Amino acid sequence: DAGVIQSPRHEVTEMGQEVTLRCKPISGHNSLFWYRQTMMRGLELLIYFNNNVPIDDSGMPEDRFSAKMPNASFSTLKIQPSEPRDSAVYFCASSPNGGKNIQYFGAGTRLSVL
Amino acid sequence: GDSVTQMEGPVTLSEEAFLTINCTYTATGYPSLFWYVQYPGEGLQLLLKATKADDKGSNKGFEATYRKETTSFHLEKGSVQVSDSAVYFCALSGLSGNTGKLIFGQGTTLQVKP
């Protein structure tokens, strides 16, 4: 099993540019989670999906952020336009249903907005 | 709402010292409890878990016991190694059915010096 795969691992962009982060969950997992991690705010849940449907997006900071899950094997987190305060490590995690509640994390995407 | 509180870090220990990282929680119902570990430059990974009161989770020499009476799930290890240096997160399963959602504490950084 390849685990949760995120791309790119590192992204450097300029303020105002669109940024798209990608995630491939573990095959067979029904839930997918996007997190943001910074020194100041720690680990924050942005949004999560169950069976490709967004369940809770209350953690999405503002309208500049959007997430999609068009199918069970792919999700994107988009920031448009990006701002320097969006600089962080973004993690994707997936989880099987059935009450196990174990999440498997990707290696993360380190985003730097200049 | 449900929440997790961890002791503030960083925790700095010498090799072979005894480790305790405190974790307390607030939850309705009977959540499962988890410890995740994040090594430098990596995503979080499950360290151990306990699904009901008085259960003890253990892995790699780490232990934690689910104490319902004190709403605690403290992490312990008898003799730490330099390789244990990481950020440790306590978490509980949210009231989200079987979607796998977790509520994380703020994380505690452990530094082990040789």
Side-chain angles (χ1 to χ4, degrees), chain B residues 56-76:
Chain B
K56 178 186 284 188
S58 61
N59 186 26
K60 299 181 180 179
F62 291 89
E63 294 182 341
T65 301
Y66 190 161
R67 301 286 188 198
K68 186 171 178 295
E69 63 276 12
T70 55
T71 62
S72 65
F73 193 54
H74 304 322
L75 182 68
E76 297 181 335

Side-chain angles (χ1 to χ4, degrees), chain A residues 9 31 33 35 37 42-43 45 48 50 55-56 91 95-103 105-107, chain B residues 32 34 36 38 41-46 49 87 89 93-94 96-102 104-106:
Chain A
R9 287 298 312 276
S31 295
F33 304 82
Y35 293 90
Q37 187 177 38
L43 188 68
L45 176 64
Y48 76 99
N50 185 247
I55 302 300
D56 183 357
F91 288 103
S95 177
N97 277 13
K100 296 183 186 300
N101 293 110
I102 297 174
Q103 291 186 17
F105 281 71
Chain B
S32 295
F34 306 81
Y36 278 75
Q38 183 182 26
E42 300 182 10
L44 282 69
Q45 56 185 277
L46 179 67
K49 68 171 185 172
V87 182
F89 292 87
S93 56
S96 58
N98 291 333
T99 63
K101 180 183 177 183
L102 296 174
F104 285 93
Q106 72 271 36

Side-chain angles (χ1 to χ4, degrees), chain B residues 4-64:
Chain B
V4 176
T5 302
Q6 296 180 227
M7 63 187 289
E8 292 217 11
V11 174
T12 303
L13 296 173
S14 297
E15 207 164 21
E16 299 184 2
F18 184 85
L19 168 71
T20 300
I21 299 178
N22 291 338
C23 170
T24 57
Y25 67 91
T26 301
T28 53
Y30 303 97
S32 295
L33 301 175
F34 306 81
W35 277 100
Y36 278 75
V37 59
Q38 183 182 26
Y39 297 105
E42 300 182 10
L44 282 69
Q45 56 185 277
L46 179 67
L47 179 60
L48 54 84
K49 68 171 185 172
T51 57
K52 61 183 187 297
D54 299 326
D55 266 4
K56 178 186 284 188
S58 61
N59 186 26
K60 299 181 180 179
F62 291 89
E63 294 182 341

Side-chain angles (χ1 to χ4, degrees), chain A residues 68-86:
Chain A
K68 294 182 180 180
M69 191 164 186
N71 56 62
S73 59
F74 184 66
S75 178
T76 60
L77 177 68
K78 185 175 294 185
I79 308 172
Q80 166 63 14
S82 58
E83 297 182 3
R85 60 193 169 123
D86 302 330

